[in-house]
């Protein structure tokens, strides 16, 4: 699980222990600010993997394309966390009352927005989302991940993705990852590329990293503030 090693463990409060370096397999107690920090680790790590896929397949990414990819990755992981991972862990760990789940998720969302805006190490275009995308376009992309609203013109491209290779994901996460991959292909111009090895190089990362994030959340205990 690459995410665990990218994250700064000294900042994490581990349940059942007060001191010392411990195994990353132990539960990680995280409130909204710490979850937002982890969100940035996950999303920037995913973007880095896509940049490596571009290098491997000879695709040259412009700064605008990288910024667009970052936004899509953020929307994807926000949908994954909001609709599946956070609710599942809240129910399983019981540290947050179920009736407070909506409030907690909104608090996490606010911290994520703030963390992205204040991440000085990110390019300005990554932190200011209105630079090359209208509010309407971003809303449409958000609906794509949150509600599975796929334009009819994209159905054929969506189905092709499942032919590239197997992925160790449950159906919900698999379809969400496929949505991200379709948008990635649109942004970098891969929809018309017929080389299966090129698509496999990108899809293998798009499917592996969400799977790692799902496993990571098995170790997280969401905490109220």
């Amino acid at each position: 699980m690459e995410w665990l090693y990218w994250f700064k463990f000294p900042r994490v409060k581990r349940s059942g222990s007060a001191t010392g370096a411990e195994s990353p397999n132990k539960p990680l107690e995280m409130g909204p600010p710490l979850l937002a920090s982890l969100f940035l680790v996950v999303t920037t790590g995913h973007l880095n993997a896509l940049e490596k896929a571009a290098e491997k397949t000879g695709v040259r990414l412009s700064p605008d394309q990288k910024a667009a990819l970052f936004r899509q990755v953020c929307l994807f992981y926000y949908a994954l966390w909001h609709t599946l991972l956070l609710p599942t862990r809240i129910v399983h760990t019981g540290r947050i009352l179920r009736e407070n789940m909506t409030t907690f998720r909104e608090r996490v969302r606010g911290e994520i927005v703030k963390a992205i805006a204040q991440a000085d190490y990110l390019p300005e275009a990554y932190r200011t989302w209105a630079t090359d995308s209208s509010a309407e376009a971003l809303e449409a992309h958000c609906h794509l991940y949150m509600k599975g609203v796929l334009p009819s013109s994209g159905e054929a491209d969506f189905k092709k993705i499942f032919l590239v290779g197997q992925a160790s994901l449950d159906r919900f996460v698999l379809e969400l990852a496929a949505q991200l991959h379709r948008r990635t292909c649109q942004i970098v111009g891969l929809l018309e590329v017929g080389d299966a090895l090129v698509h496999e190089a990108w899809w293998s990362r798009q499917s592996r990293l969400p799977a790692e994030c799902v496993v990571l959340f098995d170790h997280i205990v969401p905490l109220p503030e």
Side-chain angles (χ1 to χ4, degrees), residues 17-181:
S17 178
T19 60
E22 297 148 26
S23 167
N25 291 326
K26 290 192 175 183
L28 309 176
E29 296 182 345
M30 295 186 176
L34 201 52
L35 282 166
S37 297
L38 178 61
F39 185 88
L40 271 179
V41 172
V42 170
T43 52
T44 54
H46 194 119
L47 180 64
N48 182 61
L50 295 184
E51 291 176 348
K52 290 181 179 178
E55 293 176 5
K56 180 177 180 179
T57 56
V59 176
R60 301 186 66 177
L61 297 177
S62 69
D64 285 347
Q65 286 175 318
K66 291 180 181 180
L69 286 176
F70 179 71
R71 296 187 189 101
Q72 292 300 318
V73 168
C74 285
L75 290 174
F76 164 79
Y77 279 106
Y78 173 71
L80 179 61
W81 286 32
H82 185 88
T83 59
L84 177 66
L85 300 185
L86 282 174
T88 298
R89 294 305 293 164
I90 287 172
V91 171
H92 284 180
T93 59
R95 302 292 289 275
I96 296 170
L97 297 177
R98 294 192 188 191
E99 54 263 37
N100 294 336
M101 183 185 299
T102 298
T103 301
F104 181 81
R105 289 187 300 178
E106 287 305 308
R107 180 73 176 109
V108 172
R109 178 184 181 277
E111 290 292 336
I112 288 172
V113 171
K114 183 168 67 174
I116 292 173
Q118 296 179 350
D120 293 339
Y121 60 89
L122 293 177
E124 177 67 23
Y126 289 29
R127 294 181 283 124
T128 308
W129 286 34
T131 52
D132 63 4
S133 295
S134 68
E136 292 80 8
L138 286 174
E139 183 177 0
H141 297 162
C142 186
H143 281 301
L144 175 67
Y145 296 113
M146 295 292 287
K147 302 181 184 299
V149 180
L150 182 70
S152 58
S153 60
E155 291 179 359
D157 296 327
F158 182 72
K159 292 177 181 178
K160 288 178 184 177
I161 293 169
F162 294 108
L163 302 178
V164 176
Q166 297 297 318
S168 56
L169 298 167
D170 68 33
R171 187 67 184 183
F172 174 80
V173 184
L174 176 63
E175 291 187 358
L176 203 62
Q179 304 283 22
L180 173 62
H181 188 60

